[in-house]
Amino acid sequence: MDPKIVTRFAPSPTGALHLGNARTALFSFLMARAAGGRFLLRVEDTNRDRSSDAFMSSQLSDLAWLGLSWDAGPDHDDGRGPYRQSERESIYDGLYQKLELEGHAYPCFCTPLELDLARRAKLAAGQPPRYPGTCRELDTAARAARAAEGRQPALRFRVPDAGVIEFEDLVRGLQSIAAATLGDFVLRRADGGPMFFFCNAVDDSLMGVTQVLRGDDHLSNTPRQLLLLQALELPVPRYGHLPLLLDASGAPLSKRRGSTTIGELRACGYLAAAVGNYLLRLGHTGAPDPWVEPVDFAQNFRLDRLGRAPAHFDAAQLDHWQREAVRRLTPEQAVHWLDAELPADWSAQERLELAGLLQGNLLFPADAADWLSVLRGELPPLTAEDSTVLAEAGPAFFEAALAAYHEVGADVGALGRELKQRTGRKGAALFMPLRIALTGRHDGPELAALLPAIPASLVRARLTGAARAH
Ligand code: GLU
């Protein structure tokens, strides 16, 4: 246990939470919980045009649904907030000033056009398209002259000319990069808006984050963020970069491409425990093969078992965990899960019994519709194979079944014995035609549980129908 561990998830509210981000959030959460540390939620909403409150609340709701809880976040501060970057401007302003005063940052008056031309010139010369340093050494007079032209400067970080930046990535091991390859980077845009790397790094540090887990797409930001924090003399967290989650075609899952979102999975009826069990094993080999209860996720999370290879989204695996999760629902939970599908006029007792009866045969609530027809409505059309089974049993068998049902009622054991006496059939030769005639299919919940749930009038009508048709 290391209560000093502080992790965080830092979503940008520019879209729905998708599986890839949910995995990053879950792993960060589990890392904190496994150590008895703290887990924070910070909303990175500096991109005003693309961020929205609606996305923020849907992401928070999806995280809570997944079972994540945060010790501080936009909904409750611990004194180190605010936890929305759009409310932290005054903090950022102080840090820009400090960096500029100490010579770590300088105003850059280059226009987008000038920057573009410089970039092209570098590329044409076969060099990396780094900022050429145009405004790096401007003296006070030159700056004043540009400001007098009405140019609004960006603030650029002065990257040291020499030296190597090294860090031990929590997932990928030692990383090292020459500072000279980085180029001076923008901290604050000309319109005053902060840049992602800046707020992201200083917030982690100011909020006391000790371990950052995030997607691989941020790996190239890390050296710049390390330089920045060193220049500010702020504590530096450890960073770990998770390989991206790819879809079936090998493309990264991303909110912009409309990949599988947690909201879509919820709407479909996936259970949080199923999604959790799936994510727990996605690029992480610390969990055992069998089902893990969500309360035990943290003790089954191992940082040193995070893989470096990209993980692929596999719908069949997700469905495997969904099946496991549905099977584990208590009858009360099953009723809740199926609620929208169950007829409104059913009593609480009927709901409880039937939800319990069906849950082993459902993957999603919508699958209940077929079984509800079996219980209360029309049977589905028979397959050719099932028709053959009924034809083989013949009318006399179903007439005998009708008489036996009349005699003993819905107790399948007693019905079987009675029918065996009357027809001489037993085992599958007895129960299979009976099941098909009563339910329209050859599989499904135990007949012993189904039969009492079908109204007697329907049972009689189905047996009579089978006797007539075959
Ligand atoms: N807001 C960033 C994102 O959503 C977070 C990056 C990070 O975790 O450091 O990609």
Side-chain angles (χ1 to χ4, degrees):
M1 284 291 177
D2 185 354
K4 291 186 297 300
I5 292 224
V6 181
T7 68
R8 52 69 166 174
F9 180 56
S12 304
T14 53
L17 188 73
H18 64 77
L19 271 176
N21 287 339
R23 178 181 61 148
T24 306
L26 178 69
F27 289 175
S28 304
F29 167 72
L30 295 178
M31 195 174 159
R33 292 292 176 258
R38 303 179 73 236
F39 174 66
L40 312 176
L41 190 79
R42 179 178 71 241
V43 174
E44 305 212 313
D45 58 349
T46 51
N47 186 334
R48 296 271 168 92
D49 297 338
R50 290 185 36 229
S51 300
S52 82
D53 281 357
F55 282 135
M56 180 176 107
S57 36
S58 80
Q59 291 207 25
L60 263 55
S61 137
D62 287 344
L63 292 169
W65 175 80
L66 269 175
L68 273 62
S69 56
W70 39 98
D71 301 297
D75 47 358
H76 57 285
D77 205 328
D78 59 352
R80 289 200 184 216
Y83 281 88
R84 282 182 82 159
Q85 289 185 329
S86 56
E87 295 168 11
R88 295 176 64 80
E89 267 170 26
S90 59
I91 300 173
Y92 304 145
D93 286 345
L95 295 172
Y96 297 137
Q97 275 175 23
K98 178 173 157 69
L99 286 167
E100 203 175 337
L101 268 174
E102 294 175 2
H104 293 299
Y106 58 88
C108 168
F109 295 88
C110 296
T111 63
L113 180 65
E114 287 165 344
L115 292 172
D116 192 43
L117 289 174
R119 204 178 63 89
R120 284 165 196 261
K122 287 267 183 194
L123 286 174
Q127 291 169 5
R130 285 193 304 273
Y131 177 65
T134 321
C135 295
R136 210 175 209 233
E137 308 303 342
L138 294 183
D139 59 21
T140 321
R143 284 181 188 162
R146 282 167 175 70
E149 288 169 22
R151 294 198 188 198
Q152 286 295 326
L155 186 67
R156 229 175 241 283
F157 185 81
R158 189 188 299 274
V159 173
D161 295 322
V164 171
I165 304 145
E166 280 197 343
F167 68 99
E168 187 73 31
D169 188 281
L170 294 168
V171 180
R172 304 168 62 102
L174 185 67
Q175 307 288 309
S176 107
I177 182 163
T181 61
L182 292 177
D184 293 353
F185 53 91
V186 173
L187 301 174
R188 187 191 61 212
R189 291 194 305 262
D191 66 5
M195 289 295 283
F196 159 76
F197 326 108
F198 172 79
C199 316
N200 176 270
V202 301
D203 284 349
D204 279 335
S205 187
L206 296 175
M207 291 171 179
V209 172
T210 58
Q211 260 96 349
V212 169
L213 280 186
R214 61 183 180 182
D216 236 346
D217 47 337
H218 290 291
L219 182 62
S220 63
N221 294 331
T222 308
R224 294 182 180 86
Q225 296 189 305
L226 293 173
L227 286 177
L228 174 65
L229 292 178
Q230 281 157 10
L232 285 164
E233 296 170 305
L234 285 173
V236 174
R238 302 234 11 222
Y239 290 91
H241 292 89
L242 297 168
L244 291 185
L245 181 54
L246 306 180
D247 67 16
S249 74
L253 286 193
S254 90
K255 26 189 185 212
R256 269 177 264 175
R257 281 171 46 97
S259 297
T260 318
T261 66
I262 299 297
E264 284 160 2
L265 297 179
R266 285 174 75 173
C268 213
Y270 279 97
L271 292 161
V275 178
N277 264 274
Y278 177 62
L279 293 177
L280 185 64
R281 294 166 175 89
L282 207 51
H284 169 244
T285 53
D289 287 343
W291 173 262
V292 177
E293 283 300 330
V295 288
D296 298 327
F297 281 176
Q299 73 195 52
N300 285 284
F301 177 74
R302 296 263 310 270
L303 186 63
D304 60 351
R305 295 290 189 83
L306 288 174
R308 294 184 194 189
H312 285 263
F313 172 61
D314 179 347
Q317 274 299 315
L318 177 58
D319 287 353
H320 162 76
W321 294 113
Q322 170 72 355
R323 205 175 301 282
E324 293 283 312
V326 173
R327 228 162 45 76
R328 288 176 164 77
L329 292 175
T330 63
E332 288 76 15
Q333 290 168 333
V335 171
H336 181 68
W337 179 64
L338 282 175
D339 196 47
E341 302 293 329
L342 298 177
D345 58 345
W346 284 17
S347 71
Q349 188 55 29
E350 264 180 316
R351 287 166 173 266
L352 212 55
E353 279 171 12
L354 292 168
L357 169 64
L358 298 185
Q359 78 186 83
N361 290 272
L362 307 177
L363 203 49
F364 304 110
D367 301 341
D370 288 350
W371 286 107
L372 292 171
S373 298
V374 168
L375 294 172
R376 294 290 184 269
E378 294 276 307
L379 290 186
L382 293 183
T383 62
E385 215 173 301
D386 289 351
S387 280
T388 315
V389 175
L390 296 198
E392 186 276 328
F397 174 80
F398 295 108
E399 274 155 23
L402 195 56
Y405 182 69
H406 188 69
E407 186 90 10
V408 301
D411 175 340
V412 167
L415 185 67
R417 283 191 295 279
E418 181 67 28
L419 195 50
K420 181 177 168 191
Q421 261 188 4
R422 287 172 185 253
T423 64
R425 287 181 173 246
K426 58 182 180 183
L430 184 153
F431 284 107
M432 198 44 88
L434 192 59
R435 167 184 279 280
I436 295 171
L438 290 172
T439 70
R441 40 198 296 184
H442 57 261
D443 55 5
E446 290 282 317
L447 193 57
L450 270 178
L451 187 56
I454 307 176
S457 57
L458 267 187
V459 172
R460 285 195 293 268
R462 286 173 188 174
L463 292 175
T464 309
R468 289 216 188 100
H470 299 282

